[in-house]
Amino acid sequence: MLVWDAPNMDMSLGSLLGARPTAAFRPRFDAVGRWLLDLAGPEAIAEATVFTNVVPGSTEVVRPWVEALRNVGFAVFAKPKISEDSDVDEDMLAHIRLRAQEGTLRHVVVASGDGRAFREPLEDLEKLGTGVTVIGFREHASFALTSEVIEFIDLEDIDGVFREPLPRITLDSLPEGGAWLPPFRSLRSLLEARR
């Protein structure tokens, strides 16, 4: 079963890019689905879910994305974002617990970099015999990278998920000749912040 934390994954991707992702840098869920089916094997039943918040007034923008996900075979849990606390983490954990209690969950894949919410529950599941994988971005998933029991796969390493390579130049991955690291926002924003 795949459980995708849309708010966290969008925030992590935006942080990598330094801006909202364009179509070229949005993950292709059909490729994620094929990867999940391959991971599950031909005899297993694979379930793919996306958990998201919907800000009031944004339904017309979100609807095409949700319909595209459902058309690919993903179930979507949508929750209104009415306060800072209306996150989907608890809903994701409840869904994982439900599937584990049903006794058919053999492997859970969580797409998130939120170690505070997921590290302990995922490590507990692994101790009970459920395979655990986290997919995300290595820059934002240190909890999975440092865990001795959670397997981590960088989303960009899954074949076909991105149309173009992500511009991932960080201080840890500088080319020999050096690289420019673009600003995250315009210098003009300093003037706007004083108003």
Side-chain angles (χ1 to χ4, degrees), residues 23-182:
F25 296 120
R26 286 256 175 228
R28 295 188 53 216
F29 283 89
D30 59 329
V32 173
R34 281 191 291 277
W35 172 84
L36 181 67
L37 289 167
D38 187 52
L39 178 69
E43 302 302 316
I45 296 171
E47 177 184 359
T49 61
V50 172
F51 287 72
T52 191
N53 287 114
V54 179
V55 176
S58 69
T59 57
E60 292 308 311
V61 175
V62 176
R63 182 176 287 115
W65 174 70
V66 168
E67 289 174 358
L69 286 169
R70 293 172 67 200
N71 194 45
V72 171
F74 282 68
V76 177
F77 177 83
K79 182 176 184 176
K81 182 74 171 173
I82 52 178
S83 72
E84 286 301 312
D85 296 334
S86 52
D87 198 6
V88 293
D89 294 349
E90 282 305 314
D91 303 293
M92 293 172 63
L93 289 167
H95 187 65
I96 293 169
R97 282 191 300 272
L98 174 68
R99 290 296 185 250
Q101 290 167 356
E102 292 172 348
T104 58
L105 184 61
R106 301 288 173 251
H107 196 118
V108 65
V109 178
V110 174
S112 182
D114 189 347
R116 188 183 69 223
F118 295 106
R119 182 181 191 134
E120 189 175 318
L122 292 178
E123 288 180 344
D124 289 347
L125 269 176
E126 197 283 331
K127 288 175 191 169
L128 296 172
T130 300
V132 175
T133 302
V134 168
I135 58 175
F137 304 104
R138 64 183 170 274
E139 296 88 344
H140 296 283
S142 62
F143 84 96
L145 288 164
T146 59
S147 173
E148 294 183 15
V149 296
I150 297 173
E151 178 186 7
F152 175 77
I153 298 174
D154 194 285
L155 191 58
E156 194 171 16
D157 292 339
I158 297 173
D159 190 42
V161 171
F162 294 101
R163 289 185 211 161
E164 297 179 24
L166 296 176
R168 295 176 94 165
I169 297 185
T170 67
L171 297 177
D172 297 321
S173 63
L174 291 170
E176 191 175 304
W180 284 99
L181 303 173

